[in-house]
Amino acid sequence: FFQKTLTAVKNWFTLFGWSTGQNPISIPYTLRSAVCKVQVISSQEKVFKQNLGKDTKTVYDMLFHLSRQLIPGTTSSQSLPLDPVERMLQLHWKCSTLLGFLKSQGAYLPHVMPEFLLEPDDYKQWIKVQTLKKGDMKLSDIFSNQHPFILEDSIFEKMSKRAWTDVLLQTYKVFVLPRVSSRNITDLFSLESMQNMPRIKSEPLSSNIYSPYERTILTWLNKHYEKNRETVWKDCQKGEI
């Protein structure tokens, strides 16, 4: 089931998630790696430059296309520090800001930690920094703070894939699903009175799980399921299917 969901999400965002047409993505690899189009920093003796290309699309480009909003404090082209720890901390902040932005729009992502959106090497660096911080804390401080999740490489990859999939699903929920047309919503919800159809209340506050747009789609699905059920199993009672 998860693999089918992953494929559906990847296909939709490849086809419709970008302003310039199709842009093939791989979850989580392309979303993690294309954090910045250009990463440049100069010091007195060193210059670090990673040019991902002017045509490289980032997750921030995708979110701007779908929401028409800029994530506060972030841009698709942004310099990163040369120091690996500072670089990791800035990337962690960017991921945290991304999650905060989606949550402010109604996304449900309490299980997704910013570190799950990092590259594996950055995640290891984050674990190292957190472990050092714990070593410097008093015993009372340690128990008052949440311990970091320390995951093996293979487990982290699975967690990262799931986290990015959920980020994209919630992005779809808050920015794409509200575009569902409500022109025929009255006709759809009037079908709730049909004896064989599951009842889905149309009131906006009737569910703390499904949004009004999701309930519109569920009602539409129920309508067509019931129509086809009666066609395929015309003389069959519902309990006998």
Side-chain angles (χ1 to χ4, degrees):
F1 171 78
F2 175 70
Q3 188 59 48
K4 290 181 178 179
T5 302
L6 181 69
T7 301
V9 170
K10 181 178 67 175
N11 290 342
W12 192 92
F13 279 91
T14 290
L15 293 172
F16 308 113
W18 315 91
S19 60
T20 55
Q22 297 185 26
N23 180 49
I25 66 170
S26 175
I27 302 172
Y29 309 109
T30 53
L31 298 174
R32 291 189 314 204
S33 61
V35 175
C36 297
K37 289 182 181 177
V38 181
Q39 301 173 3
V40 180
I41 186 166
S42 298
S43 63
Q44 294 179 349
E45 299 180 359
K46 298 179 181 179
V47 176
F48 170 71
K49 182 174 182 179
Q50 179 182 352
N51 193 337
L52 298 177
K54 64 179 181 179
D55 295 327
T56 301
K57 304 296 186 297
T58 72
V59 65
Y60 305 106
D61 296 314
M62 180 194 72
L63 287 172
F64 177 74
H65 169 62
L66 295 176
S67 70
R68 294 301 172 188
Q69 300 181 58
L70 291 172
I71 300 178
T74 63
T75 62
S76 59
S77 297
Q78 192 171 25
S79 62
L80 292 174
L82 178 64
D83 180 78
V85 174
E86 293 298 324
R87 176 180 180 275
M88 176 276 297
L89 291 174
Q90 183 165 321
L91 289 173
H92 190 276
W93 176 83
K94 287 167 70 71
C95 291
S96 179
T97 302
L98 184 151
L99 292 173
F101 170 74
L102 290 175
K103 291 176 183 178
S104 71
Q105 304 299 312
Y108 185 74
L109 294 165
H111 59 295
V112 177
M113 302 292 105
E115 53 269 24
F116 296 158
L117 305 181
L118 297 172
E119 288 274 17
D121 288 344
D122 290 319
Y123 172 74
K124 292 176 184 178
Q125 191 70 250
W126 183 83
I127 289 295
K128 183 178 179 180
V129 170
Q130 296 303 308
T131 302
L132 290 174
K133 284 184 177 180
K134 293 295 181 182
D136 294 336
M137 288 182 178
K138 297 178 181 179
L139 186 61
S140 59
D141 294 330
I142 293 177
F143 285 110
S144 64
N145 288 274
Q146 185 177 2
H147 286 272
F149 287 96
I150 302 177
L151 305 175
E152 297 179 358
D153 292 350
S154 60
I155 301 299
F156 172 76
E157 285 295 340
K158 293 179 181 179
M159 183 69 77
S160 183
K161 181 180 291 187
R162 182 59 184 263
W164 275 110
T165 301
D166 288 345
V167 164
L168 292 181
L169 283 170
Q170 290 297 311
T171 297
Y172 183 91
K173 175 183 175 180
V174 298
F175 295 129
V176 180
L177 205 56
R179 303 175 190 173
V180 173
S181 174
S182 59
R183 286 181 299 174
N184 298 323
I185 192 170
T186 304
D187 295 336
L188 284 173
F189 286 130
S190 67
L191 293 171
E192 292 176 339
S193 60
M194 293 177 60
Q195 181 178 359
N196 293 324
M197 278 192 60
R199 295 178 178 271
I200 300 176
K201 295 181 179 180
S202 60
E203 292 79 7
L205 300 179
S206 63
S207 173
N208 61 354
I209 299 176
Y210 299 115
S211 67
Y213 317 107
E214 289 173 297
R215 293 199 295 278
T216 299
I217 292 177
L218 288 172
T219 301
W220 181 86
L221 288 171
N222 284 337
K223 168 194 171 184
H224 289 283
Y225 170 81
E226 186 65 22
K227 180 179 179 180
N228 284 280
R229 186 189 71 82
E230 292 178 346
T231 301
V232 177
W233 297 291
K234 185 175 182 180
D235 300 323
C236 180
Q237 297 296 320
K238 189 173 184 179
E240 298 174 352
I241 296 176

